[in-house]
C-alpha cells in the first residue's frame, strides 16, 4: 500500500486519537467516562497505535485495524450526548473528537479504496 499524503494524514490523526485514548485512562474520575468505557477505549487506542504503525509500513490489515478501532471508539463516545450528568465542555470535546475520528477514518479508508480500485 502506497503511503500518500491523505493516508499519512489519516494515520497521524487516528494515531493521535489512539494515543489520547491510552494516556487518558489514568486521568478519568470513574464517572466521566465510566471505568469500563475508559478501559475499552484504552485497549482500542492501543490497537489503533499498533495498526497505524503497521499501516505506515504498508500493511493493509493495519489500516483496516485503524478504521475499525476508531469507529468502535467513536461509537463508545456517543452516549455522552444523551447522558444527563455529562458536563457541557466534555460533550463539546466529544463532538470535536468524533469529527476528527470521522475525518481520519475517511482518509485511511480512501487510501484502501484507491488501492482496491487500482487492483481491480
Amino acid at each position: 500500500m502506497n503511503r500518500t499524503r491523505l493516508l499519512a494524514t489519516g494515520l497521524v490523526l487516528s494515531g493521535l486519537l489512539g494515543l489520547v485514548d491510552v494516556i487518558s485512562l489514568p486521568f478519568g474520575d470513574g464517572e466521566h467516562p465510566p471505568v469500563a468505557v475508559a478501559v475499552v477505549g484504552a485497549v482500542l487506542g492501543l490497537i489503533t497505535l499498533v495498526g497505524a504503525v503497521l499501516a505506515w509500513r504498508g500493511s493493509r490489515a493495519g489500516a483496516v485495524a485503524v478504521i475499525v478501532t476508531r469507529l468502535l471508539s467513536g461509537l463508545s463516545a456517543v452516549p455522552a450526548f444523551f447522558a444527563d450528568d455529562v458536563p457541557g465542555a466534555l460533550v463539546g470535546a466529544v463532538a470535536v473528537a468524533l469529527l476528527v475520528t470521522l475525518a481520519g477514518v475517511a482518509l485511511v479508508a480512501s487510501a484502501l479504496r484507491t488501492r482496491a480500485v487500482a487492483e481491480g
Side-chain angles (χ1 to χ4, degrees):
M1 181 168 62
N2 293 332
R3 188 177 351 130
T4 63
R5 283 187 185 183
L6 292 178
L7 175 61
T9 302
L11 290 174
V12 168
L13 288 175
S14 297
L16 289 173
L17 288 169
L19 185 61
V20 167
D21 284 351
V22 171
I23 64 173
S24 65
L25 179 62
F27 299 109
D29 63 2
E31 289 186 38
H32 304 105
V35 174
V37 173
V39 169
V40 168
V43 170
L44 290 172
L46 189 59
I47 296 169
T48 297
L49 291 172
V50 171
V53 169
L54 293 174
W56 191 268
R57 295 178 179 171
S59 170
R60 186 172 177 82
V64 171
V66 168
I67 292 169
V68 170
T69 55
R70 288 294 84 212
L71 289 175
L72 289 173
S73 181
L75 283 175
S76 73
V78 170
F81 295 111
F82 304 105
D84 294 330
D85 61 339
V86 178
L90 188 57
V91 172
V94 168
V96 170
L98 283 174
L99 289 174
V100 175
T101 295
L102 292 175
V105 165
L107 291 170
V108 174
S110 70
L112 287 178
R113 195 174 97 202
T114 301
R115 180 176 176 212
V117 170
E119 290 176 355

